Amino acid sequence: IKSLDISNNRVGNYILKILYNLICLNHNIVEIKFDDNQITDKTLLKNFFLKLKSKKFFLKIYLPKHDLKNLMNAGLMTTSEII
């Protein structure tokens, strides 16, 4: 598997742990989409991206735009935190 799209599953914050573990175990994955999973914890999301940034392999990750928009609409995140 090189490309993984697990969008629209609405499994919540737990998806971040699953994705991170999967990425660490399978270095063949080069592209991930995981939008609309009802992520509600901006700290977990930020830490997910920071942990992946420290990895030494190429990985294209599409921003979970729907989840980010929901976080902003709920007042849990600002635009400046995304940039």
Side-chain angles (χ1 to χ4, degrees), residues 37-72:
N37 277 293
Q38 294 183 340
I39 296 169
T40 59
D41 189 325
K42 73 174 183 180
T43 303
L44 286 177
L45 185 60
K46 179 181 176 181
N47 289 339
F48 170 76
F49 282 111
L50 289 174
K51 282 197 255 182
L52 287 180
K53 185 178 176 183
S54 71
K55 296 296 177 192
K56 303 294 181 198
F57 50 86
F58 173 79
L59 184 62
K60 181 177 183 178
I61 300 178
Y62 291 82
L63 284 177
K65 294 178 184 178
H66 189 267
D67 292 317
L68 291 171
K69 182 179 177 183
N70 287 342
L71 285 167
M72 288 189 295

Side-chain angles (χ1 to χ4, degrees), residues 4-9 15 18-19 32-35 37:
L4 184 63
D5 185 348
I6 53 173
S7 299
N8 305 308
N9 286 296
I15 193 71
I18 293 169
L19 271 178
I32 292 180
K33 298 176 185 175
F34 65 102
D35 199 8
N37 277 293

